[in-house]
Amino acid sequence: MRLKLFILIALVFFSFRVSCQTVPVGSPLVENYLRRQQLLGKFDSLVSFNYRPIVLTNNGVRVDSSIFDTTKYFKEIKKNESELSVLPLEFRLAYDHNHPDSRNDGAMIRSRGFQTYLSMGVYAETGPLSVQLKPEFIWAENRNYQGFPLWPRHYQSTWRSRYIWFNSIDLPERYGTNAYTTFTLGQSSIRLNKWGLSLGLSTENIWWGPAIRNSLMMSNNAQGFPHITFNTQRPLKTKIGSFEWQILTGRLEGSGFNPPGHDIQFDGRIQYVPKPDDWRYFQAVSFSYSPKWINGLSLGLTRWVQQYSEVAKATNDYFPAFSNLFRKNDNNTTRTEIDRDQAAGVFGRWIWYDSKAEFYFEFAKNDASLNFRDLLVDTDHSRALTVGINKLFPTPKESVFWQFNFEWTQTSQTESRLLRNSLSWYIHSRVRHGYTSNGEVLGSALGPGGNAQYLEVSKVKGFDRVGGAIERFVHNNDFNVFAFSDNFSSATNKDFTRYWVDYSVHAFYEKRFDRFFLNASLFYTYSLNYQWEVLFDPNDPYAFPDTPGVDRNNWNLDIKLSYSLF
């Protein structure tokens, strides 16, 4: 509430001169266009695309008007001796016909049926002070759908296994039983900017790393959260290369909704353990370096730590992201480290200008190694990985290209789990809301134990893009292995056929009409063994496991419109 009042007061009482705007995370038409222009050598080669939102400003990234005329995207008006930049009116309509299947949509939620998003804002600055006010309104039909099946469609032992995850992360299947409505500050901020640096308060979504679909550490899959940030707004040049970074400290809140079957008893015991009524103190740091001697290369590292506010107060340690990287440094007296959830990783992107292509990766671990030797010996332990390649192929027509993108992501545990279990990414036994904001994962939309392979081909010209893609997505393979494999499950519950796998076919269309921007996508998903369910009778101990699964078909429609009103 204080942040809301501060921003509104700043807008009323300051006289502004406009010199920059931001492209919020979740504006793929503009963001992807600039990324393609970089592959063509027409956009600043020092911009790594490792930190988003991108700031188009004299203090940040400069864009040649021949590439992107920002006056047709951010409209400047003058009134009462003040100048404001009016951000586009954005409207989004999403629909899932059978079950939720949306990703990377910010404050929008997992919901069956129709869901709408509306946002508009202004950006202004005077001297070093900048203010962006861009609230978001979301309405979701939130229709009922089949989630994780209750007994007897799943064994009691399967439900017990499932609650290892339900009790360790805040991922409700449904946000209540009625239509869902919320109003947030959205992509709003107030900052002090100078020399390419920025210090401020923000509720913006943040994307870290070079990945296009699945960032492991920070993405716009969840609702933005209030945070203090100190970051670069453009690459800072030095004699050895350029640097970018962001350091932030924020407050994470839970969704307030319970998982399915939270009141069911097995053998007189309720499986659900209520989560603490406490907010989480979150801190993260990320640095990126582009060496002077290798054009187009950027390498970086990221670390985040979260803990409940009561733990932060008790330890009086408000800079946990800068200490205790290895377990050998744990405080064995207070054991505060076991009350913290953390992850660390490295990432890189390399542009090959002659080939009009880029290669990128992100490698991270969510369980600290004992020491540097342990890190070298057991690199697979608790690791997640995203690898991608993006390339443009020229056509006989000028400015028309075929674009190819492949991205592979794995967050499920590797064979290291057989000797040293770390459970799944994004869940935690002590910080039991997991790595979430308002009930959605802050990192990859694949969630705990998710793996995916995505292949896309499209035809592009300027801002315009039309094409299709195929994707294979394995849901929470860690739970599948734990609940149904020989190593962990009971003798009556072993089943090698239970993998929940989605096969999707995507079609998308992006078009710019002067001040009007259109993003539209339609994809069909065939889910094999939806919610890990098969058709045999669970009361029959002699049922052959290789039986048909409970499969589902789902259609997802997503339309986003952006329009400059003036």
Side-chain angles (χ1 to χ4, degrees), residues 2-230:
R2 292 180 180 177
L3 180 58
K4 294 180 182 179
L5 291 175
F6 191 37
I7 292 176
L8 290 174
I9 292 171
L11 283 173
V12 172
F13 290 103
F14 282 99
S15 295
F16 300 101
R17 290 198 62 82
V18 175
S19 62
C20 70
Q21 305 87 12
T22 62
V23 179
V25 178
S27 304
L29 192 148
V30 176
E31 189 176 284
N32 292 340
Y33 165 74
L34 294 176
R35 191 163 180 154
R36 290 195 298 269
Q37 292 300 304
Q38 189 180 56
L39 298 186
L40 297 173
K42 298 179 180 180
F43 183 58
D44 190 348
S45 62
L46 295 181
V47 178
S48 67
F49 283 90
N50 294 324
Y51 301 97
R52 288 163 267 176
I54 299 172
V55 181
L56 305 179
T57 169
N58 291 330
N59 192 62
V61 179
R62 297 177 183 239
V63 182
D64 192 294
S65 60
S66 64
I67 298 175
F68 184 24
D69 185 359
T70 57
T71 62
K72 290 187 177 182
Y73 189 69
F74 309 101
K75 182 62 179 176
E76 297 181 9
I77 61 175
K78 186 172 183 179
K79 185 177 181 181
N80 298 328
E81 298 183 355
S82 297
E83 293 184 4
L84 300 176
S85 234
V86 180
L87 303 177
L89 172 66
E90 294 184 352
F91 173 77
R92 187 169 184 175
L93 175 68
Y95 175 76
D96 277 295
H97 102 275
N98 185 269
H99 57 270
D101 197 14
S102 59
R103 307 176 213 169
N104 298 336
D105 54 5
M108 298 177 78
I109 63 169
R110 296 183 304 282
S111 170
R112 179 183 173 225
F114 286 100
Q115 185 168 188
T116 60
Y117 165 99
L118 184 65
S119 180
M120 184 181 173
V122 294
Y123 180 96
E125 71 175 34
T126 179
L129 177 66
S130 69
V131 176
Q132 178 168 292
L133 180 63
K134 196 174 188 299
E136 299 171 333
F137 173 80
I138 290 93
W139 174 87
E141 191 176 4
N142 198 27
R143 294 172 59 188
N144 191 23
Y145 70 97
Q146 181 201 312
F148 192 74
L150 300 178
W151 167 263
R153 291 167 62 183
H154 268 314
Y155 291 108
Q156 291 187 19
S157 59
T158 304
W159 265 91
R160 292 190 184 96
S161 298
R162 191 74 182 102
Y163 256 93
I164 294 175
W165 279 262
F166 283 150
N167 282 328
S168 304
I169 192 169
D170 179 25
L171 281 181
E173 284 187 346
R174 193 175 175 204
Y175 285 65
T177 58
N178 301 313
Y180 175 90
T181 303
T182 189
F183 180 83
T184 76
L185 275 173
Q187 311 308 307
S188 299
S189 65
I190 180 167
R191 298 170 177 270
L192 293 174
N193 312 299
K194 191 70 174 178
W195 306 307
L197 304 176
S198 179
L199 174 66
L201 302 173
S202 174
T203 57
E204 293 174 295
N205 280 109
I206 297 169
W207 189 291
W208 281 357
I212 295 175
R213 288 183 59 83
N214 290 299
S215 172
L216 299 177
M217 304 296 264
M218 191 80 70
S219 74
N220 68 325
N221 182 60
Q223 178 177 302
F225 56 91
H227 58 270
I228 302 171
T229 177
F230 176 55

Side-chain angles (χ1 to χ4, degrees), residues 154 239 329:
H154 268 314
K239 293 182 179 181
N329 299 317

Side-chain angles (χ1 to χ4, degrees), residues 464-563:
D464 302 343
R465 186 172 74 118
V466 59
I470 56 175
E471 181 184 47
R472 179 179 181 268
F473 171 23
V474 182
H475 291 257
N476 202 341
N477 197 48
D478 293 342
F479 163 73
N480 180 73
V481 170
F482 190 89
F484 304 113
S485 76
D486 291 339
N487 297 310
F488 301 105
S489 66
S490 63
T492 60
N493 204 29
K494 297 175 183 178
D495 190 348
F496 58 86
T497 69
R498 294 295 190 108
Y499 295 95
W500 174 9
V501 183
D502 288 352
Y503 286 90
S504 301
V505 179
H506 300 240
F508 49 84
Y509 179 77
E510 299 176 358
K511 181 73 174 178
R512 177 183 180 180
F513 305 91
D514 194 32
R515 299 184 185 279
F516 184 83
F517 295 78
L518 169 66
N519 296 74
S521 70
L522 175 68
F523 67 87
Y524 163 75
T525 300
Y526 183 63
S527 296
L528 296 164
N529 303 326
Y530 175 73
Q531 297 286 352
W532 302 278
E533 187 179 7
V534 296
L535 291 173
F536 72 87
D537 183 356
N539 295 311
D540 181 4
Y542 301 104
F544 185 70
D546 191 12
T547 57
V550 175
D551 302 338
R552 290 287 185 271
N553 298 283
N554 189 60
W555 288 92
N556 176 282
L557 175 67
D558 195 335
I559 299 174
K560 184 173 182 179
L561 305 173
S562 300
Y563 183 68

